[in-house]
Amino acid sequence: MAVADLSPWKAAKDSPSRQLLWELSRLALAEQEESLERLDQACRERGAVLKSALDEAAARHDKVRRDAEAEGARIEQERQQAMARREAEHRRQEEREQEAEAERERIERQRAATQRAERAATQEREAEEARIKAEKDRQDAQKAKAKREEEEKEAAARKK
């Protein structure tokens, strides 16, 4: 039952002014209800527009978030790849340094072995030269002794 149905002027049909007042109030209520209905419809339409805008904003936000997460993942992957490259380069550098050190040690061992071989060859040559000289000195001494003995024999034979 509407508010207008409970109005005291409805029952008062005996007075034209009350009748007019009742009609006017009914018209005012009808206009107010129509106005409220238009406002409600406008609110519903505006709410739908705002909800749509919120949905779009949420979708854009989700896309931006996903894009940011993807970019973050890409940057992290690049960082890890760069770190792996640096570590690999560091390992290669260490390997090169170890190989260079091993080569220096090999060269040093080879040089030391060559020096030992040269010293041994020099010592052997000097020993051979000393042996040859000793043999020559012995032969010279034998020749000198033989010559002396020959000279002594000749001198003894001349004295006779």
Side-chain angles (χ1 to χ4, degrees):
M1 188 183 285
V3 173
D5 292 342
L6 300 176
S7 171
W9 295 294
K10 187 177 179 186
K13 292 190 179 196
D14 55 346
S15 164
S17 60
R18 285 188 185 175
Q19 183 74 29
L20 183 60
L21 206 68
W22 180 75
E23 289 291 330
L24 287 174
S25 63
R26 215 174 88 186
L27 281 173
L29 285 174
E31 283 181 26
Q32 188 177 14
E33 285 178 3
E34 287 176 18
S35 178
L36 289 175
E37 183 57 37
R38 282 192 307 273
L39 286 175
D40 286 346
Q41 182 61 31
C43 285
R44 282 190 297 274
E45 290 171 2
R46 181 71 178 144
V49 168
L50 291 176
K51 183 179 181 322
S52 174
L54 282 173
D55 290 344
E56 287 177 23
R60 281 193 310 269
H61 174 75
D62 285 345
K63 183 183 181 318
V64 167
R65 181 186 48 77
R66 285 190 309 271
D67 290 348
E69 288 172 352
E71 183 66 12
R74 185 191 64 76
I75 289 170
E76 178 62 20
Q77 182 180 18
E78 285 179 2
R79 186 190 67 76
Q80 288 177 354
Q81 289 172 346
M83 187 183 339
R85 283 190 302 272
R86 283 191 303 273
E87 288 172 357
E89 180 58 32
H90 181 70
R91 282 191 304 274
R92 285 190 297 271
Q93 180 64 29
E94 284 180 348
E95 288 172 2
R96 285 191 297 269
E97 289 172 1
Q98 289 173 353
E99 289 171 0
E101 180 63 25
E103 182 64 14
R104 282 191 294 275
E105 289 174 359
R106 185 192 65 77
I107 290 170
E108 180 60 30
R109 284 191 306 273
Q110 187 177 18
R111 187 183 61 76
T114 302
Q115 287 177 345
R116 284 192 304 274
E118 288 174 356
R119 278 195 302 271
T122 300
Q123 289 173 349
E124 189 176 315
R125 187 178 62 248
E126 288 173 354
E128 182 64 23
E129 288 172 359
R131 187 189 62 75
I132 290 172
K133 185 177 183 292
E135 182 63 28
K136 185 178 182 243
D137 288 347
R138 187 187 60 76
Q139 288 175 356
D140 287 347
Q142 281 180 348
K143 284 181 186 177
K145 182 180 174 186
K147 186 177 180 182
R148 243 187 346 248
E149 288 175 358
E150 186 67 34
E151 286 175 359
E152 286 175 3
K153 278 185 188 175
E154 283 178 12
R158 269 185 272 179
K159 281 188 182 180
K160 279 190 192 186

mmCIF file of all heavy atoms in Angstrom, residues 5-22:
data_model
loop_
_atom_site.group_PDB
_atom_site.id
_atom_site.type_symbol
_atom_site.label_atom_id
_atom_site.label_comp_id
_atom_site.label_asym_id
_atom_site.label_seq_id
_atom_site.Cartn_x
_atom_site.Cartn_y
_atom_site.Cartn_z
ATOM 1 N N ASP A 5 -2.096 6.295 -0.240
ATOM 2 C CA ASP A 5 -3.324 5.614 0.139
ATOM 3 C C ASP A 5 -3.658 5.858 1.604
ATOM 4 O O ASP A 5 -4.802 5.787 1.995
ATOM 5 C CB ASP A 5 -3.207 4.102 -0.105
ATOM 6 C CG ASP A 5 -3.136 3.788 -1.593
ATOM 7 O OD1 ASP A 5 -3.517 4.666 -2.402
ATOM 8 O OD2 ASP A 5 -2.664 2.694 -1.934
ATOM 9 N N LEU A 6 -2.709 6.146 2.460
ATOM 10 C CA LEU A 6 -2.928 6.370 3.877
ATOM 11 C C LEU A 6 -3.157 7.846 4.207
ATOM 12 O O LEU A 6 -3.290 8.209 5.360
ATOM 13 C CB LEU A 6 -1.733 5.842 4.686
ATOM 14 C CG LEU A 6 -1.450 4.343 4.540
ATOM 15 C CD1 LEU A 6 -0.211 3.981 5.293
ATOM 16 C CD2 LEU A 6 -2.631 3.552 5.048
ATOM 17 N N SER A 7 -3.145 8.666 3.200
ATOM 18 C CA SER A 7 -3.261 10.101 3.420
ATOM 19 C C SER A 7 -4.637 10.467 3.984
ATOM 20 O O SER A 7 -5.649 9.939 3.544
ATOM 21 C CB SER A 7 -3.051 10.828 2.092
ATOM 22 O OG SER A 7 -3.345 12.188 2.221
ATOM 23 N N PRO A 8 -4.670 11.383 4.962
ATOM 24 C CA PRO A 8 -5.960 11.786 5.523
ATOM 25 C C PRO A 8 -6.795 12.586 4.544
ATOM 26 O O PRO A 8 -7.989 12.717 4.690
ATOM 27 C CB PRO A 8 -5.575 12.642 6.728
ATOM 28 C CG PRO A 8 -4.181 13.080 6.488
ATOM 29 C CD PRO A 8 -3.565 12.045 5.614
ATOM 30 N N TRP A 9 -6.188 13.134 3.506
ATOM 31 C CA TRP A 9 -6.952 13.937 2.540
ATOM 32 C C TRP A 9 -7.757 13.085 1.597
ATOM 33 O O TRP A 9 -8.696 13.540 1.000
ATOM 34 C CB TRP A 9 -5.992 14.828 1.727
ATOM 35 C CG TRP A 9 -5.315 15.851 2.601
ATOM 36 C CD1 TRP A 9 -5.911 16.878 3.237
ATOM 37 C CD2 TRP A 9 -3.967 15.880 2.936
ATOM 38 N NE1 TRP A 9 -5.036 17.591 3.960
ATOM 39 C CE2 TRP A 9 -3.765 16.993 3.801
ATOM 40 C CE3 TRP A 9 -2.845 15.111 2.661
ATOM 41 C CZ2 TRP A 9 -2.566 17.361 4.334
ATOM 42 C CZ3 TRP A 9 -1.650 15.495 3.192
ATOM 43 C CH2 TRP A 9 -1.498 16.597 4.014
ATOM 44 N N LYS A 10 -7.400 11.822 1.457
ATOM 45 C CA LYS A 10 -8.132 10.952 0.557
ATOM 46 C C LYS A 10 -9.561 10.749 1.088
ATOM 47 O O LYS A 10 -10.515 10.696 0.328
ATOM 48 C CB LYS A 10 -7.417 9.607 0.429
ATOM 49 C CG LYS A 10 -8.035 8.704 -0.615
ATOM 50 C CD LYS A 10 -7.245 7.427 -0.752
ATOM 51 C CE LYS A 10 -7.910 6.569 -1.789
ATOM 52 N NZ LYS A 10 -7.347 5.286 -1.919
ATOM 53 N N ALA A 11 -9.648 10.628 2.380
ATOM 54 C CA ALA A 11 -10.959 10.422 2.975
ATOM 55 C C ALA A 11 -11.756 11.720 3.017
ATOM 56 O O ALA A 11 -12.950 11.696 3.207
ATOM 57 C CB ALA A 11 -10.771 9.869 4.394
ATOM 58 N N ALA A 12 -11.074 12.793 2.865
ATOM 59 C CA ALA A 12 -11.765 14.090 2.953
ATOM 60 C C ALA A 12 -12.138 14.579 1.572
ATOM 61 O O ALA A 12 -11.576 15.525 1.061
ATOM 62 C CB ALA A 12 -10.863 15.090 3.659
ATOM 63 N N LYS A 13 -13.083 13.970 0.961
ATOM 64 C CA LYS A 13 -13.483 14.336 -0.390
ATOM 65 C C LYS A 13 -14.580 15.416 -0.368
ATOM 66 O O LYS A 13 -15.049 15.845 -1.383
ATOM 67 C CB LYS A 13 -14.011 13.106 -1.128
ATOM 68 C CG LYS A 13 -12.917 12.113 -1.382
ATOM 69 C CD LYS A 13 -13.359 11.032 -2.312
ATOM 70 C CE LYS A 13 -12.211 10.104 -2.534
ATOM 71 N NZ LYS A 13 -12.305 9.258 -3.593
ATOM 72 N N ASP A 14 -14.930 15.791 0.823
ATOM 73 C CA ASP A 14 -16.010 16.754 0.954
ATOM 74 C C ASP A 14 -15.562 18.175 0.676
ATOM 75 O O ASP A 14 -16.356 19.020 0.320
ATOM 76 C CB ASP A 14 -16.625 16.678 2.352
ATOM 77 C CG ASP A 14 -15.598 16.859 3.428
ATOM 78 O OD1 ASP A 14 -14.376 16.785 3.107
ATOM 79 O OD2 ASP A 14 -15.965 17.078 4.566
ATOM 80 N N SER A 15 -14.250 18.425 0.794
ATOM 81 C CA SER A 15 -13.761 19.788 0.591
ATOM 82 C C SER A 15 -12.940 19.827 -0.697
ATOM 83 O O SER A 15 -12.046 19.013 -0.900
ATOM 84 C CB SER A 15 -12.914 20.190 1.786
ATOM 85 O OG SER A 15 -12.158 21.304 1.492
ATOM 86 N N PRO A 16 -13.214 20.771 -1.567
ATOM 87 C CA PRO A 16 -12.448 20.865 -2.808
ATOM 88 C C PRO A 16 -10.986 21.219 -2.552
ATOM 89 O O PRO A 16 -10.090 20.734 -3.253
ATOM 90 C CB PRO A 16 -13.105 21.982 -3.579
ATOM 91 C CG PRO A 16 -14.375 22.274 -2.882
ATOM 92 C CD PRO A 16 -14.323 21.670 -1.550
ATOM 93 N N SER A 17 -10.704 21.994 -1.542
ATOM 94 C CA SER A 17 -9.319 22.356 -1.265
ATOM 95 C C SER A 17 -8.565 21.133 -0.755
ATOM 96 O O SER A 17 -7.406 20.893 -1.112
ATOM 97 C CB SER A 17 -9.228 23.499 -0.275
ATOM 98 O OG SER A 17 -9.838 23.147 0.931
ATOM 99 N N ARG A 18 -9.269 20.339 0.059
ATOM 100 C CA ARG A 18 -8.621 19.101 0.523
ATOM 101 C C ARG A 18 -8.465 18.140 -0.635
ATOM 102 O O ARG A 18 -7.462 17.447 -0.715
ATOM 103 C CB ARG A 18 -9.457 18.456 1.617
ATOM 104 C CG ARG A 18 -9.312 19.190 2.887
ATOM 105 C CD ARG A 18 -9.985 18.423 3.980
ATOM 106 N NE ARG A 18 -9.949 19.210 5.191
ATOM 107 C CZ ARG A 18 -10.518 18.907 6.297
ATOM 108 N NH1 ARG A 18 -11.209 17.798 6.390
ATOM 109 N NH2 ARG A 18 -10.418 19.659 7.326
ATOM 110 N N GLN A 19 -9.437 18.103 -1.502
ATOM 111 C CA GLN A 19 -9.358 17.249 -2.681
ATOM 112 C C GLN A 19 -8.174 17.695 -3.536
ATOM 113 O O GLN A 19 -7.399 16.861 -4.002
ATOM 114 C CB GLN A 19 -10.679 17.343 -3.480
ATOM 115 C CG GLN A 19 -10.758 16.462 -4.670
ATOM 116 C CD GLN A 19 -10.957 14.999 -4.292
ATOM 117 O OE1 GLN A 19 -11.540 14.685 -3.268
ATOM 118 N NE2 GLN A 19 -10.452 14.127 -5.121
ATOM 119 N N LEU A 20 -7.998 18.952 -3.736
ATOM 120 C CA LEU A 20 -6.906 19.495 -4.541
ATOM 121 C C LEU A 20 -5.557 19.203 -3.875
ATOM 122 O O LEU A 20 -4.594 18.818 -4.530
ATOM 123 C CB LEU A 20 -7.110 21.007 -4.726
ATOM 124 C CG LEU A 20 -6.082 21.701 -5.601
ATOM 125 C CD1 LEU A 20 -6.059 21.137 -7.024
ATOM 126 C CD2 LEU A 20 -6.358 23.192 -5.643
ATOM 127 N N LEU A 21 -5.537 19.362 -2.568
ATOM 128 C CA LEU A 21 -4.321 19.081 -1.814
ATOM 129 C C LEU A 21 -3.959 17.617 -1.937
ATOM 130 O O LEU A 21 -2.799 17.257 -2.100
ATOM 131 C CB LEU A 21 -4.548 19.463 -0.348
ATOM 132 C CG LEU A 21 -3.298 19.821 0.410
ATOM 133 C CD1 LEU A 21 -2.710 21.127 -0.105
ATOM 134 C CD2 LEU A 21 -3.600 19.971 1.869
ATOM 135 N N TRP A 22 -4.959 16.791 -1.865
ATOM 136 C CA TRP A 22 -4.712 15.356 -1.993
ATOM 137 C C TRP A 22 -4.172 15.032 -3.375
ATOM 138 O O TRP A 22 -3.209 14.279 -3.531
ATOM 139 C CB TRP A 22 -6.034 14.606 -1.723
ATOM 140 C CG TRP A 22 -5.894 13.131 -1.838
ATOM 141 C CD1 TRP A 22 -5.307 12.307 -0.958
ATOM 142 C CD2 TRP A 22 -6.345 12.336 -2.917
ATOM 143 N NE1 TRP A 22 -5.353 11.029 -1.395
ATOM 144 C CE2 TRP A 22 -6.014 11.027 -2.627
ATOM 145 C CE3 TRP A 22 -7.045 12.612 -4.106
ATOM 146 C CZ2 TRP A 22 -6.301 9.964 -3.478
ATOM 147 C CZ3 TRP A 22 -7.334 11.531 -4.927
ATOM 148 C CH2 TRP A 22 -6.932 10.226 -4.616
#
